[in-house]
Amino acid sequence: HDYHLLMLPSFLSRKLEGAAIGLFLHVPFPSSECFRILAHRDEILKSMLCADHVGFHLYEYARHFITCCKRMLGLESAAMQGGVMGISNNGRTVSITCSHVGLDKETILNRLADSQVQQLAHRFSPLGGGDSGSRFRPGRGF
């Protein structure tokens, strides 16, 4: 997910009463010093807290979110079982986790060396007779 989906948990919770909602942010969450300048900061935080689970890539991003909830909404956080953080809001606890998701470089390089992938790369390469508007260069990216 990205910033444009931060209001989605609020919309989903209104339309799908009782649904389990998870939000994983694949981008950094800004510090409270940066986040506080947004005009709709409270609405964004409240929407994110409509999810049952909010995940971040790094602890630093989760800490920024927790700090924003404390400074802007007056909410407290607490450690929960299993190393998960929780924020209590409106009689429910939202779990906050960190998942260091990454790519395995060797797997990608092996896949790029595959003959079928090479054929597709050649087909879509402007030098290989594919779409001349393509900017993809195998092994070099875009």
Side-chain angles (χ1 to χ4, degrees):
H1 299 104
D2 205 341
Y3 300 117
H4 63 282
L5 295 175
L6 296 182
M7 295 299 291
L8 188 59
S10 175
F11 301 144
L12 288 175
S13 66
R14 282 185 254 152
K15 292 289 184 185
L16 304 171
E17 192 173 321
I21 301 171
L23 173 69
F24 190 88
L25 205 58
H26 291 271
V27 292
F29 195 85
S31 68
S32 61
E33 289 80 14
C34 294
F35 195 80
R36 69 185 171 99
I37 66 172
L38 296 176
H40 300 285
R41 62 187 169 267
D42 290 355
E43 291 86 351
I44 294 169
L45 292 174
K46 288 175 183 176
S47 176
M48 292 176 71
L49 291 169
C50 286
D52 300 293
H53 174 246
V54 180
F56 298 91
H57 273 293
L58 300 175
Y59 174 74
E60 178 183 8
Y61 306 154
R63 183 174 50 83
H64 288 317
F65 175 71
I66 290 168
T67 301
C68 285
C69 288
K70 180 176 182 165
R71 290 183 178 169
M72 288 158 217
L73 302 178
L75 301 176
E76 294 296 327
S77 63
M80 297 170 48
Q81 228 174 9
V84 175
M85 293 297 294
I87 296 179
S88 294
N89 182 39
N90 292 327
R92 53 190 287 279
T93 301
V94 179
S95 62
I96 311 296
T97 60
C98 307
S99 300
H100 305 289
V101 180
L103 301 173
D104 180 18
K105 181 180 174 182
E106 289 302 316
T107 300
I108 293 172
L109 291 175
N110 289 338
R111 191 68 179 135
L112 284 172
D114 182 86
S115 62
Q116 286 181 317
V117 172
Q118 290 294 321
Q119 288 173 359
L120 285 171
H122 182 72
R123 181 174 145 206
F124 290 107
S125 170
L127 302 175
D131 175 16
S132 61
S134 173
R135 299 179 326 180
F136 180 74
R137 306 289 188 272
R140 293 182 301 224
F142 291 92

